[in-house]
Amino acid sequence: MSLSLRDVHFGYGPREVLQGVSLAVDRPEILALCGPNGAGKSTLLHLLAGLAQPAAGEVLLDGRPLGKLAPAVRAARIAVVTQSAETAFDLPVEDLVSLGRLHRLTLRDRLLLQPLRGEDRAAVESALTQLGLEELRQRPLGQLSGGERARALIATALAQEADHLLLDEPTAHLDPAFRQEILDVLRALAEGGKRILIVLHDLTLAGLYADRVALLAGGVLRAVGAPQEVLREDVLRDVFRTPLRVLPHPDGGRPVVLPSAFARAVAGTGESTVDNDRRPR
């Protein structure tokens, strides 16, 4: 099962945002897409989700052009949470999460608003539990905090039970505890067979949780590989145009990325080589 870009170009008017990008999400993993603001990360995710069409090149799902597949087929295979994800109605959380099962329902059940049953009901309950939303199931979306709303949108995507999960900055509005909880959920999903692409600005979170990191800058993929191969000071300096320090995490050695001045203040001139692939526990 593979979702991929092949030599894709995309632009807004005369401004080319992506230039010949090729990238595949083709294994159970977390692939973190990182890069400076305006690099084209969200655009790349939208193309993989079928929310935009390339000017040149191909977006493929199992070798078939994504744009030629029916929406219900895409929804069964690809779940997406974008930064601008909103709902038109002030639904209770449980009803929102239930929308993740629409593509699996018959037209009759949709028209008659039949309650979910069997595996559909179980998928919604599992998503609510994984995102810690059981006690908020009847709360209208308008009464949720930003972080709670973000968790509800992610739960809706989880309820789809799609093979590929695409998330654009899903932890942006969450406090540290919920940020870690959501990334732990994504880590478990990847280990259970999900193929996950997640846009992250936090390079340290990418280093701690991702199996692979892709760095995008100037519309071009600058590096793709394991965190310890990609999150190197020379590579990051070239991509972000500012000096950054990479230090080993004290529990496992995975890369922690800090501004150089801050790193000097807290860690002196300690060794920045990362040589251990274990995640912190």
Side-chain angles (χ1 to χ4, degrees), residues 35-41 201 240:
N37 291 335
K41 301 183 297 297
H201 277 108
F240 290 93

Side-chain angles (χ1 to χ4, degrees), residues 113-216:
L113 301 177
Q114 295 291 333
L116 295 180
R117 301 178 297 273
E119 64 181 18
D120 295 316
R121 180 75 254 161
V124 170
E125 290 299 324
S126 176
L128 290 169
T129 299
Q130 288 183 81
L131 273 300
L133 295 167
E134 304 99 311
E135 295 183 3
L136 299 177
R137 64 172 66 232
Q138 297 304 322
R139 184 84 58 85
L141 296 179
Q143 297 179 18
L144 299 181
S145 68
E148 291 167 342
R149 191 180 185 90
R151 285 192 283 141
L153 291 168
I154 295 170
T156 306
L158 289 186
Q160 283 182 234
E161 295 188 318
D163 303 312
H164 296 86
L165 182 56
L166 312 178
L167 305 107
D168 195 354
E169 282 289 331
T171 63
H173 303 293
L174 303 182
D175 63 37
F178 280 127
R179 189 178 305 157
Q180 180 175 336
E181 284 190 16
I182 283 181
L183 288 169
D184 285 342
V185 167
L186 296 178
R187 181 73 257 153
L189 289 169
E191 292 173 358
K194 294 289 186 189
R195 292 150 172 80
I196 298 172
L197 182 138
I198 177 172
V199 174
L200 282 176
H201 277 108
D202 191 319
L203 296 173
T204 292
L205 289 179
L208 296 179
Y209 282 93
D211 298 286
R212 287 192 298 155
V213 176
L215 287 180
L216 186 67

Side-chain angles (χ1 to χ4, degrees), residues 5 7 12 14 27-28 30-31 48 64 69-70 87 97 99 132 148 155 164 194 198 215 241 258 260 279 281:
L5 305 173
D7 194 25
Y12 297 102
R27 67 194 77 169
I30 293 179
L31 171 57
L48 284 172
R64 301 169 62 191
L69 299 178
T87 57
V97 177
L99 294 179
E148 291 167 342
H164 296 86
K194 294 289 186 189
I198 177 172
L215 287 180
R241 303 297 181 184
L258 300 170
S260 292
R279 293 181 184 83
R281 298 296 182 187

Side-chain angles (χ1 to χ4, degrees), residues 32-142:
L33 180 62
C34 305
N37 291 335
K41 301 183 297 297
S42 295
T43 297
L44 189 154
L45 182 143
H46 286 180
L47 288 164
L48 284 172
L51 301 177
Q53 299 299 317
E58 296 180 296
V59 184
L60 303 172
L61 179 61
D62 294 343
R64 301 169 62 191
L66 184 63
K68 294 184 178 180
L69 299 178
V73 174
R74 293 202 302 265
R77 300 292 306 282
I78 304 168
V80 58
V81 178
T82 64
Q83 287 189 38
S84 59
E86 293 290 346
T87 57
F89 305 102
D90 196 17
L91 298 171
V93 168
E94 185 175 351
D95 290 352
L96 174 67
V97 177
S98 296
L99 294 179
R101 305 301 293 178
L102 273 183
H103 66 285
R104 297 179 181 267
L105 300 181
T106 66
L107 178 60
R108 179 178 182 277
D109 283 347
R110 294 185 200 179
L111 293 176
L112 296 179
L113 301 177
Q114 295 291 333
L116 295 180
R117 301 178 297 273
E119 64 181 18
D120 295 316
R121 180 75 254 161
V124 170
E125 290 299 324
S126 176
L128 290 169
T129 299
Q130 288 183 81
L131 273 300
L133 295 167
E134 304 99 311
E135 295 183 3
L136 299 177
R137 64 172 66 232
Q138 297 304 322
R139 184 84 58 85
L141 296 179

